[in-house]
Amino acid sequence: MNAKEGSIEITIPTSTKSGKKCESRELCKAWAQNVWNMCKEDKGKAIFGVKVGVAAILVSSLVLFEATYQVLGTNTIWAILTSILVFEYTVGATFNRGFNRALGSLLAGILAVAVAGTALSCGHVAEPIIIGFSIFMIAAVTSFMKTWPWLEQYEYGFRVVLVTYCVIITSGYRMGNPIKAVVNRLYSMVIGGIISVLVNVIVFPIWAGELLHKQLVINFDAVADSLEECVKKYLQEDGRCEHSRFTTAVMDEFPDEPAYTRCRNTLISGSNLETLANSAKWEPPHGRFLHLFYPWSEYENVGAALRYCAYEVMALHSILHSQIQAPYNLRITLGSEIQEVTEQAAELVRELGRDINNMKWCVKSSLIKMLHNSTERLQRSTELHAYILTSTLESKPSTVSKLSHALSMSSSLSSTNVSAVVSGESTELDPQKNSIMQAQNNGGGVSPPAQQKESDHEMMRRQLRRIYSWPSIEVDAFDGDYGTTSDFFPRMRPLESTAALSLTNFTSTLVEFVARLDHLIQAVDKLSKMAKFKHETL
């Protein structure tokens, strides 16, 4: 039946309960899958959660069982709090936190008993005044001292001193027996701390020293992989990277460069290595680290030397993704030298990481010598490239390609032959330059334009535009006043010589990476001696 004229059609929505149930079910499945993947990647997180649960139920059993509750009473709440607050991810961090809590509680208890006894002997009028002033002083002193740089690792201990002192001194003032409050607090804390330490050490222990050792080895592999990945992309045939522009985003995410992300994580891992090293100092000898005073601080020094090498790799990545790129015909002239240095440097970095992982040290004199020789050949080729580039700033593109071909043949020539090639090409260019200059002097070239008079206002306007623009923009490119659109600001057009100099920048950064490898080798050698690695000879 046709609807009447002027009628309104009303649609009643159907129930969407089934749709909502399906969506919620899919969300639950996705969440469970993410949790499962995270547990597969890092089993330590799941183990840590289970261990905290075991410690919590063991301490809570002191309250659940009637016999233990009648002995300990309400003081068991301090044992539960201590067990939860002391339990940390690694064994070393648990020992460190437990020591801070024990020492802080003991010091606070001694101070509270001394102050309470002094205040009680001064009479009922002066007693609350002395207690209040002591609380102010303890809070001010502990809060000030924990801000000192060399006391930051004991920050938790100062906080425990303040909390414990306030609790004991105030409860003792009302109950009239501060010594009993101190004793109850101490033995409850000892019970909770012992349970946490035993569970953390016995049930699937997670050692900070082992994590530090593995993390450092991972950083070595990340730097080597990132170096090879960067050089491989730089020597691609297209001569340009698809992510080469810095426009609105910073160079943070490159999905096609996974090794770059790992190298970036190496740069920000310094604080993590420091935390693990401080925690590992509290751990007893375990596993492969059976020395009583194991040099964990040397791991920080090796990590710092490795980060300096990672800085150079990140600099290579910045050149790879820069706006100004060297032509492919120039990059390929140094391709063999660059590839050779990269392969040997990456192999050396991996060998150092492998030695640390196996706790063996072997001086790789042959590999180091080969790397230095390859780097020297790269420097000589770069020096030849720089000379040819300087002598061809005003030459034609055909001459540049010709000289690039001559440069590609330089790796098979001796140093004297290379000098001959350079001198020959430079003499070939001189007649061309002389003929051009002679043509200009004879009037065959284009004469320079005549100078035009400008008013003071126009000159000032041009100077201001030159000062407040970067890169410098020619004022004549503007047809009128400043506008709001970006069309008035043309992009800088790099000269051919400037683009070619990008290759020199890349090779010099690669040479700097090799130079910093010497400091890394020294740091690893010092670690091997202090940690008593097994020394081998080739």
Side-chain angles (χ1 to χ4, degrees):
M1 181 181 294
N2 296 331
K4 295 183 179 180
E5 184 178 357
S7 62
I8 301 174
E9 183 180 358
I10 300 176
T11 58
I12 301 176
T14 59
S15 177
T16 58
K17 290 184 178 180
S18 59
K20 292 182 178 179
K21 289 182 179 179
C22 293
E23 291 180 0
S24 60
R25 191 181 297 111
E26 293 295 331
L27 291 176
C28 292
K29 288 183 179 180
W31 178 80
Q33 185 65 32
N34 292 333
V35 173
W36 177 253
N37 293 334
M38 186 180 67
C39 293
K40 287 176 62 178
E41 293 176 359
D42 190 358
K43 298 180 181 179
K45 296 179 180 179
I47 294 175
F48 173 68
V50 173
K51 293 197 299 182
V52 173
V54 172
I57 192 61
L58 289 177
V59 179
S60 300
S61 63
L62 301 176
V63 180
L64 299 177
F65 292 102
E66 186 67 23
T68 55
Y69 180 75
Q70 289 182 357
V71 175
L72 300 176
T74 57
N75 294 315
T76 53
I77 189 64
W78 295 109
I80 297 174
L81 291 176
T82 301
S83 175
I84 296 175
L85 294 176
V86 165
F87 210 105
E88 290 291 333
Y89 185 75
T90 61
V91 176
T94 302
F95 274 106
N96 185 9
R97 205 169 182 85
F99 173 79
N100 278 272
R101 189 170 184 84
L103 185 60
S105 299
L106 181 61
L107 181 60
I110 295 174
L111 291 176
V113 171
V115 173
T118 304
L120 186 62
S121 63
C122 294
H124 295 286
V125 177
E127 184 178 2
I129 298 175
I130 295 176
I131 291 177
F133 180 75
S134 66
I135 292 175
F136 168 77
M137 290 300 299
I138 293 296
V141 172
T142 54
S143 300
F144 173 71
M145 292 183 65
K146 71 182 181 181
T147 59
W148 292 2
W150 59 283
L151 291 177
E152 288 182 353
Q153 56 180 335
Y154 304 106
E155 186 269 340
Y156 180 71
F158 287 112
R159 188 176 300 178
V160 170
V161 169
L162 177 58
V163 173
T164 306
Y165 180 82
C166 293
V167 171
I168 292 176
I169 199 69
T170 53
S171 61
Y173 173 72
R174 287 301 178 184
M175 297 173 59
N177 193 355
I179 298 178
K180 184 179 179 180
V182 171
V183 174
N184 293 335
R185 165 83 179 196
L186 289 178
Y187 74 71
S188 300
M189 179 208 66
V190 169
I191 293 174
I194 290 176
I195 292 177
S196 296
V197 171
L198 290 178
V199 171
N200 207 345
V201 173
I202 295 175
V203 181
F204 298 105
I206 302 175
W207 302 99
E210 190 70 28
L211 293 179
L212 175 63
H213 193 84
K214 292 180 179 179
Q215 182 62 45
L216 189 61
V217 175
I218 291 174
N219 291 345
F220 272 88
D221 294 335
V223 172
D225 294 342
S226 182
L227 176 64
E228 289 183 338
E229 182 181 71
C230 177
V231 173
K232 179 181 178 181
K233 282 185 171 293
Y234 189 76
L235 297 178
Q236 284 178 347
E237 293 185 1
D238 56 359
R240 231 178 141 70
C241 181
E242 60 180 359
H243 300 289
S244 61
R245 288 191 176 184
F246 287 131
T247 54
T248 59
V250 186
M251 188 178 66
D252 284 335
E253 298 295 337
F254 294 122
D256 58 339
E257 298 181 15
Y260 163 77
T261 304
R262 295 168 54 197
C263 184
R264 186 185 62 183
N265 294 335
T266 301
L267 294 178
I268 61 179
S269 65
S271 59
N272 186 28
L273 295 180
E274 183 180 359
T275 302
L276 291 176
N278 292 332
S279 300
K281 295 176 183 178
W282 293 90
E283 295 177 348
H286 60 278
R288 298 182 295 173
F289 317 104
L290 298 178
H291 304 307
L292 186 58
F293 299 100
Y294 197 82
W296 297 113
S297 58
E298 288 302 318
Y299 279 80
E300 297 183 60
N301 297 333
V302 174
L306 182 62
R307 285 195 299 275
Y308 279 111
C309 296
Y311 290 142
E312 299 300 328
V313 177
M314 298 299 289
L316 292 175
H317 273 278
S318 66
I319 300 173
L320 170 65
H321 296 280
S322 62
Q323 178 67 32
I324 302 175
Q325 295 287 338
Y328 175 71
N329 60 346
L330 288 181
R331 281 187 289 173
I332 203 61
T333 56
L334 299 178
S336 59
E337 290 87 351
I338 293 176
Q339 190 67 33
E340 183 180 4
V341 172
T342 301
E343 292 177 356
Q344 295 176 0
E347 180 63 23
L348 180 58
V349 173
R350 290 194 181 95
E351 286 291 336
L352 294 177
R354 196 175 297 117
D355 287 347
I356 295 178
N357 186 34
N358 299 328
M359 300 186 71
K360 298 178 181 179
W361 175 243
C362 178
V363 180
K364 302 162 183 60
S365 302
S366 59
L367 183 57
I368 296 174
K369 186 176 180 179
M370 290 172 57
L371 176 60
H372 288 177
N373 292 336
S374 300
T375 307
E376 186 177 356
R377 286 195 297 271
L378 175 61
Q379 291 183 86
R380 293 185 182 278
S381 299
T382 306
E383 183 180 2
L384 174 63
H385 171 269
Y387 177 80
I388 294 178
L389 179 64
T390 305
S391 61
T392 58
L393 290 178
E394 299 180 1
S395 62
K396 298 181 181 179
S398 58
T399 309
V400 174
S401 61
K402 182 179 179 181
L403 292 176
S404 300
H405 177 70
L407 179 61
S408 63
M409 304 295 294
S410 62
S411 58
S412 61
L413 299 177
S414 60
S415 58
T416 56
N417 293 333
V418 168
S419 302
V421 172
V422 173
S423 59
E425 295 292 342
S426 60
T427 54
E428 182 182 350
L429 291 174
D430 289 339
Q432 296 180 2
K433 294 173 62 179
N434 294 332
S435 61
I436 295 174
M437 295 176 62
Q438 184 177 2
Q440 292 180 354
N441 295 332
N442 294 333
V446 179
S447 60
Q451 300 292 333
Q452 299 179 356
K453 296 182 179 180
E454 297 177 330
S455 62
D456 295 340
H457 176 74
E458 185 68 12
M459 293 177 62
M460 182 64 67
R461 185 175 67 87
R462 291 173 178 268
Q463 292 177 1
L464 289 176
R465 289 186 179 180
R466 287 193 178 98
I467 292 174
Y468 293 105
S469 62
W470 191 93
S472 58
I473 305 171
E474 291 296 334
V475 181
D476 295 337
F478 296 93
D479 295 330
D481 296 332
Y482 275 105
T484 57
T485 61
S486 60
D487 296 336
F488 289 100
F489 298 94
R491 292 185 177 274
M492 182 188 68
R493 183 180 64 83
L495 299 178
E496 185 179 358
S497 58
T498 305
L501 286 175
S502 175
L503 177 61
T504 306
N505 190 13
F506 189 88
T507 56
S508 62
T509 305
L510 184 59
V511 171
E512 179 65 20
F513 176 83
V514 176
R516 295 196 177 190
L517 282 182
D518 295 338
H519 300 282
L520 181 61
I521 295 172
Q522 295 176 2
V524 175
D525 180 61
K526 185 177 180 181
L527 173 63
S528 66
K529 294 178 181 178
M530 298 184 65
K532 299 180 181 179
F533 287 179
K534 182 179 179 181
H535 287 255
E536 296 180 350
T537 56
L538 292 177

